């Protein structure tokens, strides 16, 4: 048995990575890999003496469950990261000393699994190796991490047996989560690995950071022209939004190749090793506090009152979620193209129907839309073109470039319905039909935002399953990786 987690998921090249490991083996080693064009073996460290530490019990005494709310206190081991290692997302594979010869080196298909942890290596000179900054969505990863071990379910997260605090004890009111827990690697293999491999195949110079880096450093984005949000990016702090907004106002750009983006606000706690979020996740079948005050879009006192679509252009409250295995049986219809003359579509050959023929669909035949998707309140004009109303906080400059009206839809707030887009009614007076929405807008100061409106955009692009998605992505990266004003109109 062996498992572990990083003390901090981000380290600068030349510094030491702190890994916390529990094992019943007398000794263990750590194999280190970098995600790139392929999974590259970098080094093996150790051996280190092994110590077993039991997980903390769940405070509600739930059988078999461990607490998601506290630091698990595994022993710390420090691993020096060479100063010449390139920036990137790295994988640490924990190997028991007695199994070392029997455990082969990992390949591209072995990223997901237990006894693994990822971390980001940041460059010594930020911006020196590229003007694109890839933000790994770490807060969302922790929110969903159940801290399971292979063959041992522990069912503790913000969604499984969450721990709720009423505040007044040094913590804000809300669900509490520690980021110092094990659990293995899942999301990295699905969203990040294929997209990072594609970026490197295409020769893009990219540097990397985590959510916590963006939260803690107001100047993080200054050396970069383009910030990338990739995959599932649900949990954001106030500081993350403020720093991203400042980047846009100074002429920097953002590409949200993600969805369910910026849905919940988080409050960092415990020297930034945990966070609290007042969500609508039930505890033992009971909602501890409604309304949930850390929803970004809801007006105070029911929420933060700063709609996420003010930043992204879209919101999950106008989109939905298709449950099941990835990619599952969800529809493969793609985005109906609008404004085909826009720079985003340059070189795709896609048509929008303005020539009298049918509009093409970007990503048709692939599971591009989902598993979660975001949208904007919209109406159709006299030509049948969808236009954002702005009634939900979407900027006036937001131009809808692709649309997929979700069907079939279930609006049952209490039960997930399989084979449907699950979309809870939140603002019936402001929203149109629920629709995944791709679009672009500019902000005062000249920054441009592209939003894909779907979590699985980086998967379809990374695997090159649709040439149109690949070309659109290249257009976005090529244009927005230069700090210049890019008009939102056609």
């Amino acid at each position: 048995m062996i498992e572990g987690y990083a003390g901090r998921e981000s380290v600068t090249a030349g510094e030491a990575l702190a890994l916390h490991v529990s094992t019943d083996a007398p000794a263990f080693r750590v194999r280190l890999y970098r995600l790139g064009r392929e999974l590259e073996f970098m080094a093996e460290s150790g051996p280190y003496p092994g110590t077993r530490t039991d997980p903390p019990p769940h405070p509600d005494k739930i059988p078999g469950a461990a607490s998601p709310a506290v630091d698990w206190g595994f022993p710390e081991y420090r691993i020096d990261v060479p100063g010449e290692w390139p920036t990137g997302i790295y994988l640490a594979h924990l190997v028991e000393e007695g199994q070392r010869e029997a455990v082969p080196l990992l390949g591209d298909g072995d990223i997901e699994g237990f006894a693994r942890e990822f971390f980001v290596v940041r460059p010594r000179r930020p911006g020196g190796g590229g003007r694109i900054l890839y933000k790994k969505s770490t807060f969302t990863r922790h929110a969903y991490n159940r801290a399971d071990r292979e063959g041992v379910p522990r069912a503790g997260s913000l969604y499984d047996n969450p721990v709720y605090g009423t505040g007044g004890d040094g913590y804000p009111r809300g669900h509490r989560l520690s980021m110092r827990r094990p659990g293995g690697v899942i999301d990295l293999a699905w969203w990040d690995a294929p997209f990072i491999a594609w970026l490197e195949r295409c020769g893009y110079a990219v540097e990397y950071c985590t959510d916590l880096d963006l939260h803690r450093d107001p100047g993080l984005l200054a050396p970069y022209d383009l910030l990338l949000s990739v995959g599932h990016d649900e949990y954001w702090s106030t500081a993350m939004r403020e720093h991203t907004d400042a980047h846009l106002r100074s002429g920097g750009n953002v590409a949200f190749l993600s969805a369910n983006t910026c849905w919940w606000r988080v409050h960092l706690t415990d020297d930034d090793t945990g966070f609290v979020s007042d969500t609508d996740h039930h505890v033992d079948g009971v909602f501890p506090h409604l309304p949930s005050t850390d929803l970004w879009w809801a007006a105070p006192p029911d929420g933060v009152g700063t709609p996420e679509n003010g930043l992204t252009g879209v919101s999950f409250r106008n989109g939905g979620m298709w449950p099941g295995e990835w990619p599952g049986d969800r529809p493969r219809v793609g985005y109906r193209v609008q404004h085909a003359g826009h720079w985003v579509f340059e070189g795709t050959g896609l048509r929008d129907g303005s020539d009298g023929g049918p509009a093409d669909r970007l990503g048709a035949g692939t599971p591009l839309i989902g598993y979660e998707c975001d949208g904007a309140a919209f109406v159709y004009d006299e030509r049948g073109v969808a236009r954002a109303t702005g009634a939900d906080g979407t900027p006036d400059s937001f131009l809808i470039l692709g649309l997929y009206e979700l069907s079939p839809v279930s609006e049952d707030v209490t039960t997930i319905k399989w084979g449907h887009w699950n979309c809870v009614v939140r603002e019936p007076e402001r929203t149109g039909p629920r629709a995944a929405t791709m679009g672009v807008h500019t902000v005062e100061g000249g920054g441009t935002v592209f939003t894909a409106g779907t979590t699985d955009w980086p998967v379809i692009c990374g695997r090159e399953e649709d040439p149109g998605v690949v070309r659109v992505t290249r257009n976005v990266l090529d244009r927005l990786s230069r700090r210049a004003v890019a008009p939102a109109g056609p």
Side-chain angles (χ1 to χ4, degrees):
M1 181 282 291
I2 189 167
E3 58 184 341
Y5 52 87
R8 300 280 192 198
E9 292 162 317
S10 176
V11 61
T12 300
E15 296 181 348
L17 169 72
L19 280 179
H20 298 255
V21 179
S22 172
T23 181
D24 56 7
F28 70 94
R29 294 177 183 259
V30 182
R31 292 174 178 170
L32 302 169
Y33 302 80
R34 181 182 181 274
L35 275 69
R37 183 177 300 213
E38 57 189 16
L39 190 66
E40 180 184 2
F41 175 72
M42 301 295 288
E44 182 175 278
S45 183
Y48 303 97
T51 301
R52 176 166 182 159
T53 303
D54 291 330
H58 198 284
D60 296 334
K61 298 180 172 56
I62 299 171
S67 176
V70 297
D71 185 329
W72 282 31
F74 288 180
E76 179 183 279
Y77 303 85
R78 300 186 72 80
I79 301 174
D80 291 331
V81 175
E84 66 272 14
W85 276 15
T87 181
I89 298 181
Y90 286 70
L91 187 70
H93 185 206
L94 309 175
V95 180
E96 296 167 290
E97 179 70 7
Q99 300 295 317
R100 182 185 177 206
E101 299 301 324
V103 177
L105 293 180
L106 301 180
D108 291 346
D110 304 315
I111 295 172
E112 180 176 343
F114 297 100
R116 293 157 172 78
E117 179 58 288
F118 69 79
F119 61 98
V120 166
V121 172
R122 295 192 56 212
R124 286 178 157 181
R125 186 167 66 88
R131 305 291 290 180
I132 301 174
L133 184 64
Y134 184 118
K135 182 183 70 65
K136 172 58 187 158
S137 176
T138 45
F139 292 164
T140 302
R141 177 267 180 129
H142 286 292
Y144 285 85
N145 175 28
R146 292 164 41 96
D148 295 336
R149 197 180 81 213
E150 188 168 12
V152 182
R154 291 181 175 131
S157 71
L158 283 192
Y159 297 82
D160 304 271
N161 303 309
V163 174
Y164 190 86
T166 57
D169 56 354
Y171 291 86
R173 178 178 59 193
H175 297 80
R176 299 180 182 177
L177 193 80
S178 174
M179 294 187 284
R180 289 188 167 177
R181 301 177 298 129
V185 169
I186 298 176
D187 63 315
L188 185 73
W190 179 254
W191 287 300
D192 301 284
F195 190 60
I196 291 170
W198 178 83
L199 287 169
E200 295 215 351
R201 288 197 305 271
C202 294
Y204 287 104
V206 180
E207 297 183 353
Y208 294 82
C209 74
T210 67
D211 286 342
L212 186 59
D213 292 324
L214 181 57
H215 168 84
R216 299 182 81 178
D217 186 357
L220 176 76
L221 299 177
Y224 302 100
D225 292 333
L226 174 62
L227 173 67
L228 297 181
S229 160
V230 176
H232 191 192
D233 201 4
E234 185 175 352
Y235 289 82
W236 282 57
S237 71
T238 297
M240 289 172 66
R241 285 200 62 173
E242 290 174 346
H243 300 161
T244 304
D245 284 337
H247 171 70
L248 287 164
R249 290 194 302 271
S250 69
N253 306 309
V254 181
F256 290 102
L257 310 179
S258 58
N260 195 204
T261 305
C262 200
W263 182 243
W264 294 111
R265 177 179 62 177
V266 300
H267 310 267
L268 274 294
T269 62
D270 302 303
D271 192 27
D272 295 346
T273 65
F275 62 80
V276 171
S277 186
D278 187 24
T279 75
D280 59 4
H281 306 155
H282 63 76
V283 176
D284 196 22
V286 176
F287 295 102
H289 179 249
L290 293 176
S292 306
T293 55
D294 280 321
L295 277 172
W296 280 103
W297 64 269
D302 296 344
V304 184
T306 310
E308 57 277 8
N309 39 322
L311 171 64
T312 66
V314 293
S315 169
F316 184 62
R317 68 190 191 274
N318 298 318
M321 180 270 290
W322 189 276
E325 296 294 325
W326 293 330
D329 59 349
R330 64 179 185 252
R332 288 162 165 75
V333 178
Y335 278 126
R336 180 173 60 82
V337 171
Q338 298 194 152
H339 308 293
H342 194 277
W343 60 261
V344 162
F345 293 120
E346 183 180 350
T348 64
L350 294 169
R351 301 166 300 171
D352 57 15
S354 59
D355 59 0
D360 290 327
R361 288 193 170 270
L362 177 69
T366 75
L368 174 66
I369 311 299
Y371 87 103
E372 291 187 324
C373 55
D374 297 343
F378 72 94
V379 294
Y380 289 109
D381 66 15
E382 65 280 0
R383 295 182 296 138
V385 176
R387 300 191 181 279
T389 66
D392 56 347
T394 292
D396 292 340
S397 64
F398 186 76
L399 185 72
I400 297 176
L401 298 173
L403 196 77
Y404 165 64
E405 286 196 35
L406 305 185
S407 178
V409 164
S410 172
E411 295 181 335
D412 186 343
V413 69
T414 59
T415 305
I416 289 178
K417 189 170 183 179
W418 299 92
H420 287 68
W421 293 102
N422 288 255
C423 321
V424 177
V425 175
R426 292 187 171 93
E427 292 181 302
E429 74 284 359
R430 292 184 178 179
T431 59
R434 300 186 181 281
T437 306
M438 180 183 76
V440 64
H441 71 277
T442 57
V443 303
E444 186 176 351
T448 296
V449 175
F450 171 83
T451 185
T454 174
T455 55
D456 284 7
W457 183 283
V459 181
I460 303 305
C461 177
R463 295 176 178 174
E464 299 189 41
E465 294 184 13
D466 183 85
V469 171
V470 169
R471 181 57 192 261
V472 166
T473 308
R474 294 196 68 129
N475 290 343
V476 169
L477 297 181
D478 292 346
R479 187 175 183 109
L480 301 189
S481 59
R482 300 187 303 273
R483 188 180 288 256
V485 177

